[in-house]
Amino acid sequence: MFHSRGPSPSRTGLILGLCILLLYSSPFSCVAHFSQAKELFYSIKEGFPMGAFIGAIGRDLKLDLNVDPPFLFNLPQQKLSGQYVKLDNTTGDLYTSTTELDRETLCPDGPEPQGCVLSLDVFVLPQQYFQLVKVKISVEDVNDNRPRFPVEEICVSIPENTPVNARFAVEQSAVDPDLHFNSVQTYWLVNDFGVFTLDVEENDGGELTPFLIVTEALDRETQAEYITDIIAEDGGTPPLLGTATLKIIITDVNDNCPRFTKSLINVTLHGNTTKGAHLARLQAFDPDLGANAQISYVYSERVPRDTRSLFHLDQVSGLIKLAGKLNSDTSKFYKLTVLAKGPGCIPAVATVNIHIHKVITAPPAVVPRYIAAERNGVITMKESEPAFSPIAFFTVKNIETSQKLDCHLEGFGPFRLMPYQQLQNEYLLETTEDLDYEETQEYELTVVTKGTKGGPVIKTFLKVHVLDENDNAPVFKQSLVEISVEENNPPNTFLFQLQATDLDSGIHGEVVYILGGDAPGIFSVDRDTGVLSVATALDREEKETYRFMVRAVDQGTPRKESIATVLIRVEDRNDNEPRFINKDFTFFVPENFPGFGEIGVLSVTDADAGENGWVALSILNGSDVFVIDTGRGALRARTPLDREQQGTYELWVEAVDGGKPALSCATMVTVLLLDVNDNPPVVLFPQSNQSYMLVLPDTLPGTPVTEVYAVDRDTGMNAVIAYSIIKRKGAEPGSFAIDSETGNITLQRELSNRGLYSLLVRVSDHGQPEPLHATVMVNLFVNETISNESYIQSLLTNEAEVEEVEERPWYVGQLTDRPRPFELFPCQPVLIALSVTCLGLLLVVITLSSYICCRRIREHGGDGREGVETPLNMNGGSVQVVDRKIRQMANI
């Protein structure tokens, strides 16, 4: 602000008014008298639409816009303002105007070292706030121009004797106003006819020149010209193409053509260089002689007309001199393409680059060029940037070559400012260590520039804001979560709340919970809260434990995650009653099984665990006969069992678990006793060994005379009885036979002798492993009648004594123990002698007895039959007596 000490306020106002008037006519003089101008730098891409925001001058100057009177911002270049930018007079905000910014239109003369910059002067009014602000807007290039050839048809002449692989420059190369990669990058042919190919070379000036290469021998007489399209392609995304017609004319040429001694010449001028100054001399030579060696220097068609008029080229000598006046206030760059032509030759090409430096009249300035993202002096960098990452270039301008600079960095943090390689007045700001958002989020730095010989100190303030990166994964509070839950839980039961934290900020630190792929579908987790729940009731008997993964995933890019293991144990409840493996049990046990021997095992299960799965067995009925192991389930009988007393037992067994309340079930157990051959046959008829049957002498052979009837209390084969005669007495061999199955005794042949016949009959069962048997004496008295019963009884008694039959009437023995002849009668010789003697006496007795009996029969009419067993073949009355006895025997 201008300061005055005049004695009168009116005089002071008059002076200020004059200064403002002078300001519009000469800004620099006002700056010199009032205050030092401030400079602002903005960057914008070309092609921004109307009304796009460029920058806020008031805010960047840190002005209080609420003061009274208010600030007024003014742009004196009204024409420039209306064409490119629009200024808000109250806030100082800059916007694009109705005309779209075009870098190529704004900077048609090529790029300056600092880029294409639109310079504006902005006045800050009213007078008490007056400032002059230098605003520079850097217009960044975009790929908005396609390559264009200077002509629609390019003619290239090639001599017919050109050797294979010869190269010919296409001088009418395409021009792309865009810069760098957005400019022309390559060329290619649509059709090469199998004779040509195209190569691209970059000269020392960075300009690409297409070269046509001959790949096959040419013959003008065969084909005089080739017409195809040449395509120029830039490096934009997507690339843009330019097309021209390439006409290749095959001509006869000299053997040698002009060549430049230097293909690239750089010339540097100051803006105040005088008109007529010699700038450069091009030299080309042609080894040919005469007219073929004549060389003329001309500009290429790509050189604009105004450039040709500014720089004069002598066609004979190749001298370039300044033909016009330069603008000393701006820096410009000119590229001159010069052709050296010879008769019948392809022109040689050389490039002359002319750099014009403006005359420095402004004070020193520091121009930042940011490599990292920057807006309004705030640089943003990711914490993942490695150490020694470049942040910005600082270029100090308007410094005399003899002046030495001191440029250093003030502030704290892992940063350094150092000269960049061998470039003068260029400084690079870079990091020295890795940045960490979790430690420091923002740094404030100051770039201080001053000359060693004194002068103003320039300070550039900037902030470095560290952007958080997703460099931390979520961490679970518990990596292993163990949960216990009772089975039969209600649906949607809460199990646990998982907790994970992430040190990152914003969405990088937001954690969501996701079940792992191994988690059963019945479990769910809330993405935001981490609440784990189960949707259905759990059954421990179906599955006792569940083990699965839960992921904690943040929302950063790329996402990071961690994993926790969830182990769920389902606790048992007494919800299952004991179950026998069979609906009922049947055990087959041989009779006489030892007491407390194991009859069978009742297997019972309970799906529950612990005490709920402990099962105790007990007998509900029949506990006086049977006992059961409470735990093992083995059924036992207290005493040996006898099938003949009871063959089947039916028991009810109950299984009770150990739960509270207890659950139970019952099953029926059937014990079937298997028969054992423990009973010998019992002879029911004859009733004793002393009984006898009367057999008439005239009984015909084949007539049944009596029978042996026996029963066996066993069953099956143990009760099948076989009859056999094992001893005969008094009867002729073969006189009587017994049926082995029915026991009927049949007369086999006529009886010649009367008297007592005794048959020792063995009654045996078919039991295993060894059969049991009994014996009985069947006595048959052969006579017409029984006259002396006492005599017969005495015979039976004597017979028993003489025979010494050791088998008792109810003797029980084994079939293998039946008496052998010598065992029954050990004194056989003596007995034979006694038998012969007794037989004689018996015959005498029988004769006498027969006689006496016959007399008694005739006297009594046959009443002496009472109490005598009658043979089966007697008269009708006797048969009735026998039938009655048989019925009595059957009833028994």
Side-chain angles (χ1 to χ4, degrees):
M1 181 180 292
F2 176 75
H3 296 276
S4 171
R5 296 183 181 179
S8 171
S10 60
R11 185 178 179 183
T12 302
L14 180 60
I15 294 174
L16 288 176
L18 292 174
C19 288
I20 293 174
L21 181 60
L22 292 174
L23 177 64
Y24 281 93
S25 61
S26 179
F28 293 102
S29 61
C30 187
V31 171
H33 288 84
F34 284 82
S35 64
Q36 183 180 353
K38 294 187 177 180
E39 188 174 84
L40 296 177
F41 184 83
Y42 299 105
S43 178
I44 187 172
K45 291 185 181 293
E46 65 171 326
F48 263 38
M50 179 184 65
F53 177 75
I54 299 175
I57 297 175
R59 183 182 61 190
D60 295 340
L61 293 176
K62 299 182 180 180
L63 300 179
D64 185 3
L65 300 180
N66 297 322
V67 298
D68 188 21
F71 283 99
L72 179 64
F73 298 88
N74 191 12
L75 185 65
Q77 297 98 323
Q78 295 297 327
K79 181 178 179 181
L80 185 62
S81 173
Q83 184 178 4
Y84 297 111
V85 297
K86 180 175 65 176
L87 177 65
D88 189 315
N89 294 331
T90 59
T91 62
D93 292 346
L94 276 175
Y95 301 91
T96 57
S97 65
T98 56
T99 302
E100 184 179 281
L101 281 176
D102 184 27
R103 188 198 63 81
E104 290 74 26
T105 303
L106 189 61
C107 301
D109 299 323
E112 298 182 3
Q114 68 274 20
C116 183
V117 176
L118 177 62
S119 299
L120 304 175
D121 290 341
V122 177
F123 295 155
V124 180
L125 300 174
Q127 59 185 4
Q128 57 267 40
Y129 309 130
F130 175 76
Q131 290 187 56
L132 171 61
V133 181
K134 292 287 188 178
V135 177
K136 292 187 178 182
I137 303 174
S138 175
V139 181
E140 298 179 2
D141 182 53
V142 298
N143 191 28
D144 58 345
N145 293 279
R146 65 178 61 252
R148 294 186 183 276
F149 288 91
V151 292
E152 294 184 357
E153 182 179 272
I154 302 173
C155 294
V156 177
S157 298
I158 300 178
E160 62 177 336
N161 60 348
T162 298
V164 176
N165 295 328
R167 304 166 67 89
F168 299 91
V170 180
E171 67 173 69
Q172 291 89 351
S173 57
V175 177
D176 191 332
D178 295 325
L179 299 177
H180 307 302
F181 288 104
N182 294 331
S183 62
V184 177
Q185 298 297 314
T186 186
Y187 294 86
W188 44 279
L189 294 176
V190 174
N191 185 5
D192 57 10
F193 302 101
V195 178
F196 305 100
T197 187
L198 199 64
D199 189 18
V200 180
E201 289 187 0
E202 183 177 0
N203 58 22
D204 296 339
E207 180 178 318
L208 298 179
T209 301
F211 279 83
L212 194 66
I213 302 176
V214 179
T215 60
E216 296 291 340
L218 300 175
D219 186 1
R220 188 192 62 81
E221 288 71 28
T222 303
Q223 185 170 350
E225 65 179 13
Y226 298 87
I227 299 176
T228 184
D229 288 336
I230 183 171
I231 306 298
E233 180 179 337
D234 65 18
T237 304
L240 300 178
L241 307 178
T243 306
T245 301
L246 179 62
K247 187 175 182 180
I248 305 173
I249 301 173
I250 309 301
T251 62
D252 292 326
V253 296
N254 294 327
D255 294 336
N256 296 286
C257 291
R259 292 182 179 275
F260 283 102
T261 57
K262 289 185 179 181
S263 62
L264 176 65
I265 298 176
N266 291 313
V267 179
T268 301
L269 301 177
H270 290 283
N272 55 1
T273 302
T274 59
K275 182 179 178 180
H278 292 190
L279 305 181
R281 181 183 295 274
L282 296 169
Q283 289 184 353
F285 71 96
D286 191 333
D288 295 330
L289 299 175
N292 290 334
Q294 292 180 359
I295 299 175
S296 61
Y297 301 91
V298 295
Y299 281 122
S300 171
E301 295 295 330
R302 72 180 66 178
V303 180
R305 291 182 181 275
D306 55 350
T307 304
R308 297 181 189 182
S309 61
L310 182 61
F311 302 100
H312 175 72
L313 173 63
D314 190 293
Q315 294 187 0
V316 177
S317 64
L319 176 64
I320 299 177
K321 60 183 179 179
L322 184 61
K325 185 179 181 181
L326 299 177
N327 185 0
S328 62
D329 296 333
T330 60
S331 296
K332 286 189 177 182
F333 170 79
Y334 295 93
K335 179 184 288 187
L336 307 179
T337 303
V338 179
L339 305 178
K341 290 185 175 182
C345 288
I346 297 175
V349 180
T351 302
V352 179
N353 293 329
I354 300 177
H355 300 269
I356 299 177
H357 294 174
K358 69 177 181 178
V359 178
I360 299 175
T361 59
V366 177
V367 179
R369 288 175 292 165
Y370 295 99
I371 301 173
E374 179 272 341
R375 183 166 182 173
N376 299 331
V378 178
I379 300 171
T380 55
M381 295 189 69
K382 298 179 180 179
E383 64 174 333
S384 61
E385 295 288 346
F388 306 106
S389 296
I391 300 175
F393 272 110
F394 291 90
T395 303
V396 183
K397 294 187 175 183
N398 302 335
I399 297 296
E400 297 180 1
T401 57
S402 61
Q403 176 80 337
K404 292 185 179 180
L405 292 177
D406 176 20
C407 190
H408 63 275
L409 186 66
E410 292 182 353
F412 73 95
F415 305 97
R416 70 178 181 180
L417 183 68
M418 58 184 299
Y420 183 70
Q421 297 181 357
Q422 302 298 324
L423 298 180
Q424 187 176 8
N425 300 334
E426 296 283 350
Y427 296 87
L428 175 64
L429 177 64
E430 62 183 4
T431 61
T432 57
E433 298 176 4
D434 294 341
L435 301 178
D436 190 353
Y437 173 85
E438 285 72 32
E439 292 184 1
T440 307
Q441 291 80 37
E442 191 172 75
Y443 299 90
E444 292 187 357
L445 305 174
T446 303
V447 177
V448 181
T449 305
K450 62 180 179 179
T452 56
K453 296 182 180 181
V457 177
I458 304 174
K459 293 185 177 181
T460 303
F461 300 93
L462 53 93
K463 289 184 179 181
V464 178
H465 181 69
V466 182
L467 296 179
D468 185 32
E469 287 280 289
N470 192 28
D471 57 344
N472 292 283
V475 178
F476 276 100
K477 187 176 181 180
Q478 295 176 254
S479 60
L480 175 62
V481 179
E482 298 186 23
I483 304 171
S484 298
V485 59
E486 280 194 348
E487 63 177 332
N488 304 327
N489 57 285
N492 300 318
T493 298
F494 168 83
L495 298 179
F496 191 78
Q497 183 172 11
L498 300 163
Q499 293 182 350
T501 57
D502 195 319
L503 296 177
D504 295 323
S505 63
I507 61 173
H508 298 156
E510 294 179 4
V511 179
V512 296
Y513 301 89
I514 303 173
L515 290 179
D518 58 343
I522 59 176
F523 297 99
S524 62
V525 64
D526 189 280
R527 286 176 56 89
D528 299 323
T529 63
V531 171
L532 181 66
S533 59
V534 59
T536 61
L538 299 176
D539 187 358
R540 189 205 64 83
E541 290 72 35
E542 180 179 343
K543 191 168 185 180
E544 187 172 359
T545 60
Y546 296 87
R547 188 185 188 96
F548 53 87
M549 302 295 181
V550 177
R551 300 161 49 209
V553 184
D554 61 24
Q555 301 303 296
T557 303
R559 296 188 175 187
K560 292 184 178 293
E561 64 178 59
S562 61
I563 295 176
T565 301
V566 176
L567 179 62
I568 299 177
R569 293 186 176 89
V570 183
E571 297 181 351
D572 184 56
R573 297 180 68 180
N574 192 25
D575 58 344
N576 292 277
E577 63 183 17
R579 291 183 181 272
F580 289 94
I581 62 171
N582 296 329
K583 184 178 180 181
D584 50 38
F585 295 84
T586 301
F587 299 112
F588 295 89
V589 184
E591 62 176 331
N592 302 326
F593 192 72
F596 292 98
E598 185 177 294
I599 296 174
V601 176
L602 279 69
S603 298
V604 61
T605 61
D606 193 320
D608 294 323
E611 295 183 359
N612 297 331
W614 296 348
V615 181
L617 301 177
S618 61
I619 300 176
L620 300 180
N621 64 321
S623 58
D624 55 339
V625 179
F626 296 92
V627 294
I628 191 169
D629 293 349
T630 302
R632 183 168 175 267
L635 183 66
R636 308 174 190 273
R638 295 180 183 272
T639 59
L641 302 178
D642 189 357
R643 187 200 63 80
E644 287 72 29
Q645 294 182 3
Q646 185 173 343
T648 303
Y649 295 88
E650 292 185 351
L651 309 175
W652 283 96
V653 177
E654 182 183 35
V656 181
D657 64 20
K660 294 181 181 180
L663 301 177
S664 64
C665 69
T667 187
M668 187 177 76
V669 180
T670 302
V671 180
L672 299 177
L673 297 181
L674 301 176
D675 183 51
V676 175
N677 192 26
D678 58 345
N679 291 284
V682 177
V683 179
L684 300 180
F685 185 84
Q687 296 181 356
S688 70
N689 289 338
Q690 300 299 317
S691 62
Y692 63 93
M693 296 292 294
L694 179 64
V695 180
L696 296 179
D698 56 355
T699 300
L700 297 177
T703 302
V705 294
T706 187
E707 68 172 347
V708 177
Y709 180 74
V711 296
D712 195 319
R713 297 178 62 189
D714 296 323
T715 59
M717 296 301 296
N718 295 333
V720 177
I721 297 176
Y723 301 89
S724 63
I725 298 175
I726 61 173
K727 183 68 177 178
R728 301 173 186 267
K729 183 65 176 178
E732 296 178 2
S735 300
F736 298 94
I738 189 169
D739 190 301
S740 63
E741 294 181 358
T742 63
N744 289 336
I745 299 177
T746 305
L747 181 64
Q748 296 295 310
R749 62 184 180 179
E750 294 181 356
L751 299 174
S752 59
N753 296 322
R754 290 174 173 76
L756 183 64
Y757 292 80
S758 297
L759 304 175
L760 183 60
V761 177
R762 180 188 181 98
V763 182
S764 176
D765 60 23
H766 286 68
Q768 292 296 331
E770 293 182 353
L772 302 180
H773 70 273
T775 60
V776 64
M777 186 68 73
V778 179
N779 299 305
L780 301 175
F781 186 68
V782 180
N783 199 11
E784 288 81 0
T785 182
I786 299 176
S787 59
N788 190 350
E789 187 174 349
S790 59
Y791 171 72
I792 296 174
Q793 291 294 332
S794 65
L795 288 178
L796 294 175
T797 302
N798 293 333
E799 186 68 20
E801 292 176 355
V802 172
E803 294 295 338
E804 295 181 357
V805 180
E806 296 182 2
E807 290 95 339
R808 295 182 298 273
W810 314 115
Y811 175 80
V812 179
Q814 304 295 332
L815 181 62
T816 57
D817 296 336
R818 65 178 181 268
R820 292 187 291 268
F822 289 102
E823 292 175 349
L824 293 175
F825 308 103
C827 302
Q828 187 176 8
V830 178
L831 291 177
I832 293 174
L834 292 175
S835 298
V836 172
T837 304
C838 291
L839 184 60
L841 295 175
L842 182 60
L843 291 176
V844 175
V845 172
I846 291 173
T847 302
L848 293 175
S849 298
S850 300
Y851 174 75
I852 294 172
C853 288
C854 291
R855 291 186 61 182
R856 287 184 178 179
I857 290 172
R858 285 193 293 269
E859 291 177 358
H860 299 285
D863 295 336
R865 295 176 185 175
E866 295 180 1
V868 180
E869 297 182 5
T870 309
L872 295 177
N873 59 349
M874 296 178 68
N875 54 25
S878 298
V879 172
Q880 291 178 358
V881 173
V882 173
D883 290 340
R884 183 173 62 251
K885 290 184 178 181
I886 291 175
R887 286 193 299 269
Q888 292 175 355
M889 182 177 61
N891 292 334
I892 294 174

